[in-house]
Amino acid sequence: MVGQLILGLTILVGLHELGHMLTAKWFGMRVEKYAIGFPPKIFGKKIGETEYMLGLIPLGGFVKISGMVDESMDTEALKEEPKPWEFRAKPAWQRLIVMMGGIIVNVITGIVIFIALTYYYGEQYIPAKEVKYGVVANELGQEIGFQTGDKVVAVNGKELERFEDIRSMDALLGNNSYYTVERNGQLVDLKVPVNLMDKLADNKSQVFFVEPRTPFKVGQVVGGSAASKAGLKQGDFITMVNGESVKFFHEFQEALKANAGKAVTMTVERDNKLVKLRANVSEDGTIGFQAVPLLQTATKQYSLGESIPIGTNQAFSVITANLKGFGKIFRGEVSASKSLSGPIGIAQIFGDTFNWYKFWSITGMLSMVLAFMNFLPIPALDGGHVVFLTYEMISGRKPSDNFLENAQKVGMVLLLGLMAFAIFNDVFKIIF
């Protein structure tokens, strides 16, 4: 988890600060330092007028541009007359582009990542028509109104073509969202609770509220596990547990949990023959094999030309989802403590196994989130500088250096407070 978090943030922060540095150099500003990570310094090399540095603390980075009030709070040089190469000596429109440079690079990075993923991997999904046995509703799903066996036919009145679309941001974060299900030959509408995201955050063991109800076969059997000792083999079909039929995987799981810590007798179909096996069930209700769902998935491949608008739309959907999420927080419909995550929470999203598709998907998402967060009008963030520069361009009056210095201090306090809250919140969610 930590390795993926550091790698992802190093890529994104490095590119973000590179956007500031390149635009500053483009306009003839002197860049004193380009750093990935915060001090203490691990490595540094000066090339020309710029020192390139790698810091020990990996959760960030910075660019030091001469004549700019920034997080370094180095204001002594500002007491002198502006030099031609300083940030403050340049026209407001140039300074605005420099402050937007990091955000623009992060947006471009996110778009490129999603385009590349769409082109290389295509889009794998479960066609809605394949979920012919309906869904399994867990406790949260039942709270919403789902029943096991329901067939989801529409989301917000739009016919469901891909099962994954029941978890789309339009469904989870939209206003007045609802699902239409077929139940016993009747169509029933189920309203999505406005606090569904809070409920999902509370149910850590139940990431989603419904899953496809699916037949299954035995996949990889863990060596030395109870399944292995019982003689279970890859490709077997488990049809009964203690004489009770288990056609679907959720039924098999329920049978094991009901016999946790005990031995069970399983009827297995192997090479068109029935075999009886006896296995010891662990205390957590497992025997040690990977189940393979017997649902046909589909993969749609896209040309590069098709991937560009699809990937771009996926990238910007991250920002619209964040806007909707903040809107729900401000309206009091969801809790900030359950919706916001810090470094620990982000690391958990990456998970403890490495997968290139998942890594780049999360990195692309974080690139767009980083752009969005940096654009917020908070002093010390790029968005705060953009607000002040926009005011200067419209009014023709530049805020005083003293005002900018004090605004920077206020912004730093806000950011440090937010970071402290996010880290404490991550720890709290892990413990409780």
Side-chain angles (χ1 to χ4, degrees), residues 247-292:
K247 181 179 179 180
F248 304 112
F249 184 60
H250 78 281
E251 294 174 337
F252 175 70
Q253 288 180 304
E254 290 169 359
L256 291 190
K257 288 178 181 177
N259 291 278
K262 302 176 184 178
V264 296
T265 299
M266 300 184 298
T267 302
V268 173
E269 182 181 331
R270 180 186 299 163
D271 299 327
N272 296 319
K273 297 179 181 179
L274 295 180
V275 180
K276 288 190 179 295
L277 305 175
R278 191 166 178 81
N280 294 317
V281 183
S282 69
E283 294 294 336
D284 62 356
T286 61
I287 59 175
F289 73 92
Q290 181 182 27
V292 178

Side-chain angles (χ1 to χ4, degrees), residues 19-53:
H20 291 310
M21 183 182 73
L22 292 179
T23 49
K25 286 179 174 287
W26 184 25
F27 291 123
M29 301 177 194
R30 179 173 294 174
V31 178
E32 300 174 15
K33 187 173 291 187
Y34 169 82
I36 299 176
F38 294 117
K41 179 168 64 175
I42 298 175
F43 169 82
K45 182 176 179 61
K46 191 166 186 177
I47 301 176
E49 62 189 18
T50 306
E51 179 187 8
Y52 298 87
M53 188 192 92

Side-chain angles (χ1 to χ4, degrees), residues 21 52 92-93 102 121 127 156 179 187-188 195-196 380 382 396 408:
M21 183 182 73
Y52 298 87
W93 67 270
Y121 291 99
N156 293 337
Y179 298 105
L187 294 180
V188 180
N195 62 343
L196 179 58
D382 296 342
Q408 187 76 16

Side-chain angles (χ1 to χ4, degrees), residues 297-345:
T297 60
T299 302
K300 185 173 183 179
Q301 297 293 340
Y302 296 99
S303 67
L304 180 58
E306 291 171 325
S307 299
I308 290 173
I310 293 172
T312 302
N313 182 63
Q314 289 177 338
F316 280 103
S317 70
V318 175
I319 293 179
T320 56
N322 272 271
L323 287 169
K324 290 179 180 179
F326 272 104
K328 282 185 173 286
I329 290 174
F330 292 139
R331 290 194 298 271
E333 295 175 355
V334 298
S335 166
S337 62
K338 294 175 182 177
S339 303
L340 300 178
S341 293
I344 299 173

Side-chain angles (χ1 to χ4, degrees), residues 3-18 34 36 58 60 105-106 109 113 350 354 356 359-360 363-364 367 370:
Q4 292 185 78
L5 174 66
I6 292 175
L7 176 60
L9 287 182
T10 297
I11 293 170
L12 297 181
V13 171
L15 290 172
H16 179 91
E17 300 302 338
L18 185 66
Y34 169 82
I36 299 176
V105 168
N106 278 134
T109 300
I113 288 174
F350 278 108
F354 190 85
W356 278 113
F359 171 79
W360 283 114
T363 302
S367 190
L370 186 61

